[in-house]
Amino acid sequence: MSSELILLTGASGHIGFRTLRFALEHGYRVRAVVRSQQKADAVQNNRALIKLKADSQLSFVEVPDFTIPNAFDKAVTDDVKYIIHCASPMPFSAPTTDHAYEEYIKPAVDSTLEVLRSAAKRPSVRRVVITSSCIGVIDLAAAFSDTGKVFTGDTRQPNMDGPFEPGTPSFVAYAAGKVNALNAAEEWMGKHQPHFDIIHLMPTYVLGRNDMCDSVAGMQLDSNSIPLNFMLGTEASPQPMAMVVNHIDDCARIHVEALAPRIEGNQSFMICYDCDSKPQWNDAKGIVEKHFPEAVKAGLLPCRGDVLSVPSILDSKKTVETFGDFKYTYEDAVFSLVNQYLELCEKESGHVNSLKD
């Protein structure tokens, strides 16, 4: 157990909120950076957090704009020992954007650099953990086709500098933000040689219960939407997808365990089920039929959609060697997200409780 203080960004997001809970559960104090009091209230009043009874360990600081100079100076005080930077523009809110650079790339790069600059002003900071993404280190084509290449947390890609025309897909803009932010952070660290070290984490599609989601519609705004959509659909997905997933609880655990002194700094880790496990996106249908047969029979989960899985092209052996085996499976993740989906359906319609196995 530790009472050391973590500064955490992104606490209202899927990864950030579960990381917050994991940190509090393990005795850390957390100062959550939020853009508004409304965000702070949403986090603090979440039922999963209230159950922890950890109010004395949690505080908030409001930073409306993460990208302006000195944005985090008031948040990174002399008692902050660690920083976990989870906040990032996400690609699920809209299918396309006419402002790719302004909405995705610039915020990802600028907020990351501002975190590092503020950390450099405080000798108390020992480590910064940054949530990157697998899409920040792979060849973008490998997300949708079998290129035969294998990527690790130590793979790097050149900056994606555009031009980004109106209508650039949000997924491409998100990828560019992750690639460019990772490269910018490593360039800054090399140039300034600060007193702290850094850990980059590269999650894949993160699946499992999202406690900050309170509606069925909200489940379409994170990576849970991918298996959920084809379980609810009746047609084949028009595009193959790389089968690269991890459970939210493993992802959050690794974020917090990355603070441990036993973990050598200035490293990068892929957070993904091992290539050798070879799960398929369509395995979700059998999982749902096994655990929620009545919901399938009632048509709430038709399980008639289809998506072609591109073989995993990510190597997470270094992560397993450092943090231990992943504790959860694709089945656990699917069960968790579908269970939440049915809970939200019940909340919104009142007719689902009897359909769970």
Side-chain angles (χ1 to χ4, degrees):
M1 300 291 283
S2 173
S3 61
E4 295 157 335
L5 180 61
I6 301 170
L7 185 76
L8 172 69
T9 72
S12 62
H14 192 191
I15 295 175
F17 184 76
R18 186 63 187 94
T19 298
L20 168 64
R21 285 180 51 208
F22 196 93
L24 294 173
E25 289 164 355
H26 287 75
Y28 285 97
R29 292 182 295 129
V30 179
R31 179 181 299 155
V33 182
V34 291
R35 291 185 172 88
S36 66
Q37 184 59 47
Q38 182 181 13
K39 292 281 191 181
D41 292 343
V43 172
Q44 192 163 28
N45 296 326
N46 186 280
R47 288 183 301 171
L49 200 60
I50 291 171
K51 290 178 181 179
L52 287 181
K53 299 180 179 179
D55 284 351
S56 63
Q57 299 166 242
L58 176 62
S59 60
F60 295 89
V61 58
E62 189 173 327
V63 179
D65 188 345
F66 289 6
T67 67
I68 62 175
N70 309 310
F72 296 96
D73 280 5
K74 71 174 183 179
V76 187
T77 54
D78 285 332
D79 51 348
V80 172
K81 187 171 182 180
Y82 304 112
I83 299 175
I84 302 179
H85 180 43
C86 288
S88 179
M90 294 301 292
F92 297 94
S93 57
T96 62
T97 174
D98 290 338
H99 306 284
Y101 180 76
E102 291 81 3
E103 293 183 19
Y104 288 90
I105 301 163
K106 188 178 188 296
V109 174
D110 288 354
S111 64
T112 297
L113 292 179
E114 289 305 324
V115 164
L116 298 178
R117 289 168 182 148
S118 293
K121 299 173 185 177
R122 299 293 182 178
S124 60
V125 177
R126 296 189 185 179
R127 175 165 294 171
V128 176
V129 174
I130 295 181
T131 310
S132 183
S133 169
C134 68
I135 204 65
V137 297
I138 71 172
D139 179 339
L140 192 57
F144 304 106
S145 61
D146 186 359
T147 64
K149 300 177 182 177
V150 175
F151 304 90
T152 73
D154 297 315
T155 309
R156 294 294 180 268
Q157 299 294 333
N159 274 1
M160 296 173 64
D161 292 326
F164 297 98
E165 303 294 339
T168 296
S170 57
F171 185 80
V172 174
Y174 172 74
K178 288 300 187 181
V179 170
N180 293 10
L182 174 60
N183 292 342
E186 293 191 326
E187 180 181 356
W188 188 95
M189 291 290 290
K191 178 179 178 180
H192 295 279
Q193 297 291 311
H195 60 275
F196 59 86
D197 60 34
I198 193 168
I199 297 285
H200 292 283
L201 299 178
M202 286 84 173
T204 51
Y205 293 116
V206 181
L207 306 179
R209 186 180 188 88
N210 180 354
D211 283 312
M212 287 300 294
C213 176
D214 61 1
S215 69
V216 170
M219 293 196 74
Q220 305 304 310
L221 302 180
D222 61 37
S223 48
N224 280 330
S225 66
I226 298 168
L228 188 60
N229 280 344
F230 77 78
M231 284 187 286
L232 295 174
T234 59
E235 297 180 359
S237 170
Q239 188 168 34
M241 294 188 65
M243 181 56 192
V244 287
V245 300
N246 68 98
H247 192 290
I248 181 61
D249 288 359
D250 279 318
C251 188
R253 171 181 64 86
I254 290 171
H255 273 72
V256 176
E257 289 185 359
L259 305 176
R262 71 176 181 83
I263 308 296
E264 184 178 345
N266 300 318
Q267 295 194 81
S268 301
F269 298 95
M270 190 72 70
I271 305 180
C272 180
Y273 294 147
D274 194 339
C275 295
D276 295 335
S277 63
K278 296 183 175 60
Q280 303 289 308
W281 283 113
N282 282 346
D283 293 347
K285 293 187 285 188
I287 295 168
V288 169
E289 290 165 353
K290 170 184 174 182
H291 292 286
F292 305 98
E294 294 303 318
V296 173
K297 186 183 301 183
L300 280 170
L301 297 165
C303 292
R304 292 194 296 270
D306 185 69
V307 60
L308 178 63
S309 296
V310 174
S312 176
I313 37 70
L314 306 180
D315 186 341
S316 58
K317 292 183 178 63
K318 176 183 173 183
T319 307
V320 172
E321 290 170 358
T322 304
F323 296 98
D325 289 333
F326 291 104
K327 300 183 184 300
Y328 300 92
T329 65
Y330 182 47
E331 180 170 355
D332 295 325
V334 170
F335 177 88
S336 177
L337 73 90
V338 171
N339 197 54
Q340 182 179 18
Y341 172 77
L342 293 177
E343 286 178 7
L344 292 172
C345 285
E346 179 182 7
K347 172 186 171 184
E348 294 177 12
S349 69
H351 299 295
V352 178
N353 192 49
S354 63
L355 300 180
K356 296 181 185 181
D357 184 30

